Amino acid sequence: MHNDVLMLTGAGQIGMAIARRMGMDKKIIIGDKNINNANTIVATMKNAGFDAEAMEMDLSSRKSIQNMIAKAREFGEIAMLVNAAGVSPSQAPIEVILKVDLYGTAVLLEEVGKVIKKGGVGVTISSQSGHRMPALTPEEDALLATTPAEELLNLELLQMKNIRDTLHAYQMAKRCNVKRVIAEAVKWGERGARINSISPGIIVTPLAIDEFNGPRGDFYKNMFAKCPAGRPGTADEVANVAELLMSPQGAFITGADFLIDGGATASFFYGPLKPEQK
């Protein structure tokens, strides 16, 4: 039996990059709605010497999340959570984005927070999109942060009449992710554990490459070309920050969000990506 388990939700390049940094001498349980994706990442991890196991996991289902947690705990205590699961604006309709990215993340943080090991740590992957949406009222932020997960989708600001399109739904979900992390950091702290979020910009992954070659490709290429970095990022650059947050060097960091977008958000507000200058 292992002493520590790293639980990874979402079998993609960012999650794997973080797991490779933090998963040494741990049992790594990798969950994804598509078991083939999870098996692929597990095979890569095993070939690199890690002890990894795949399972099917649907982030939009509390029961599925609970099943993954139960499986992980068969091997020891959950010491680390890496949540990289979710869907993008071009992958799903509004209802699915809100159910997976918003509700699902809230449930995951809530459920893992009940059992996370003392001294444990988690990171959830949010998005730069949440930073570009106009500010909400303090009351709305508080509702996103603290409303019981099972009641979140009943909030007035999340009703279909108030969501313009899939991008707006995605932005709202990611804003909610950041606010939930702040609130959950208080609860996790009662167990001596920490939780933070990372908001990446355009990161080169197989999905991103599909987007570059798809109907929105020019939009994404323009975004990274006109950001201060002048390029997209890599999964390992996200993992660099996750490694800090999840290591003893980050012991005083919890309830925080880290924007890693090459300056694209800065350019959106104060540079050539500003909407009226497009």
Side-chain angles (χ1 to χ4, degrees):
M1 180 174 177
H2 290 256
N3 291 322
D4 288 330
V5 178
L6 185 155
M7 200 171 110
L8 167 61
T9 56
Q13 295 300 309
I14 292 176
M16 180 171 68
I18 297 172
R20 287 173 69 99
R21 300 290 182 90
M22 307 309 301
M24 300 77 70
D25 73 11
K26 294 180 182 66
K27 180 71 175 186
I28 304 171
I29 304 296
I30 303 175
D32 196 279
K33 188 172 184 179
N34 185 329
I35 190 62
N36 293 327
N37 291 343
N39 285 331
T40 297
I41 296 298
V42 163
T44 300
M45 296 289 286
K46 284 186 173 180
N47 286 337
F50 293 91
D51 183 3
E53 184 169 333
M55 70 176 294
E56 187 174 340
M57 192 282 301
D58 179 359
L59 188 63
S60 70
S61 164
R62 184 182 291 270
K63 183 61 177 177
S64 185
I65 289 170
Q66 290 172 334
N67 287 343
M68 183 174 180
I69 290 171
K71 179 67 174 179
R73 297 183 75 195
E74 291 177 8
F75 299 95
E77 292 187 277
I78 298 174
M80 293 184 173
L81 168 69
V82 179
N83 176 34
V87 292
S88 73
S90 61
Q91 290 180 313
I94 291 172
E95 298 92 331
V96 174
I97 291 171
L98 294 178
K99 187 71 183 293
V100 175
D101 291 12
L102 190 148
Y103 165 81
T105 297
V107 171
L108 179 68
L109 298 184
E110 178 182 296
E111 290 290 341
V112 174
K114 296 174 183 177
V115 299
I116 188 74
K117 179 181 179 180
K118 179 178 174 60
V121 63
V123 293
T124 188
I125 303 301
S126 187
S127 169
Q128 64 173 353
S129 287
H131 289 262
R132 293 203 303 274
M133 189 177 72
L136 300 175
T137 67
E139 293 77 16
E140 289 171 328
D141 279 340
L143 286 172
L144 291 179
T146 63
T147 298
E150 294 304 321
E151 300 173 19
L152 264 174
L153 296 180
N154 295 327
L155 292 177
E156 179 66 18
L157 76 165
L158 298 179
Q159 299 313 298
M160 289 293 293
K161 63 183 180 180
N162 295 318
I163 302 293
R164 295 187 300 274
D165 51 31
T166 58
L167 177 58
H168 186 209
Y170 185 75
Q171 291 175 329
M172 189 67 78
K174 297 307 178 180
R175 180 69 61 82
C176 183
N177 293 167
V178 170
K179 298 303 177 183
R180 298 303 287 197
V181 162
I182 296 173
E184 285 292 339
V186 178
K187 298 176 183 178
W188 283 45
E190 294 171 357
R191 297 182 62 87
R194 300 183 295 111
I195 178 70
N196 292 289
S197 59
I198 297 175
S199 291
I202 298 174
I203 305 299
V204 177
T205 63
L207 174 62
I209 292 172
D210 286 343
E211 294 283 359
F212 294 160
N213 295 322
R216 291 168 60 86
D218 289 342
F219 169 82
Y220 289 114
K221 292 173 184 177
N222 180 64
M223 181 179 291
F224 68 69
K226 291 183 178 178
C227 75
R231 63 171 177 84
T234 66
D236 279 294
E237 288 177 302
V238 178
N240 288 340
V241 176
E243 185 175 14
L244 166 64
L245 296 177
M246 301 182 79
S247 71
Q249 284 74 23
F252 201 54
I253 306 172
T254 191
D257 179 67
F258 289 78
L259 180 63
I260 308 174
D261 68 349
T265 299
S267 191
F268 177 84
F269 283 110
Y270 306 116
L273 289 174
K274 198 171 181 178
E276 61 263 33
Q277 295 182 19
K278 288 181 180 179

